Amino acid sequence: MKEETIENKDDIVSLGKKLAKLRLAQGLTECDIATKIHVRTSIIQDIENDRVINVPAIFYKGYIKNYADIVGLPENEYQSYIDTQLNRPSIQIIKNYSNKEQTKRYTKRILVISLFIILMIVGITAFLVWRDNKTELVEVTHYISPPTSINS
């Protein structure tokens, strides 16, 4: 009885192992498959090792479908695997590739630098004008009254 269970476990081959086995039977490398479906080789390795790939579900489904089509695996043999993997609870993190935040930060930095330069120019100008006006003034330390006439 124990031998039967061991044989049954050997008969159950994961989707990744099936895909790898079919790929090797056709003489293809992981790089060949990656090139054909336009992904990194590490994604092909993750699929073959049944690792969870942190990509949106639609991409994951497309990777499996395209890989299976290339190696000739019928849809009925991988569809149930896709359904169970897509129903797994996971957090999908999608990177924001827009430059909006970076542009906002850059614009804010330019504004601060511009205001600083303008304030420096106004301050230096005010100082120079004040200094020039100060030197033109005659400092009177004592006042001499005009002579008064004695005749009056």
Side-chain angles (χ1 to χ4, degrees), residues 43 46-47 49-55 60 81 85 88-92:
I43 290 180
D46 289 343
I47 290 171
N49 293 321
D50 296 313
R51 287 189 219 128
V52 177
I53 304 170
N54 193 16
V55 294
Y60 183 75
Y81 179 80
Q85 289 297 316
R88 71 183 190 275
S90 65
I91 299 172
Q92 296 293 331

Side-chain angles (χ1 to χ4, degrees), residues 43 47 52-66 78-79 81-94:
I43 290 180
I47 290 171
V52 177
I53 304 170
N54 193 16
V55 294
I58 191 73
F59 291 127
Y60 183 75
K61 185 177 180 180
Y63 296 158
I64 299 292
K65 183 181 181 315
N66 289 334
Y78 66 84
Q79 190 59 46
Y81 179 80
I82 289 177
D83 294 339
T84 57
Q85 289 297 316
L86 295 183
N87 292 330
R88 71 183 190 275
S90 65
I91 299 172
Q92 296 293 331
I93 299 172
I94 300 175

Side-chain angles (χ1 to χ4, degrees), residues 99-109:
N99 291 330
K100 241 181 202 180
E101 290 299 319
Q102 187 177 4
T103 304
K104 280 183 182 179
R105 279 186 263 137
Y106 180 74
T107 304
K108 197 173 187 179
R109 188 177 297 148

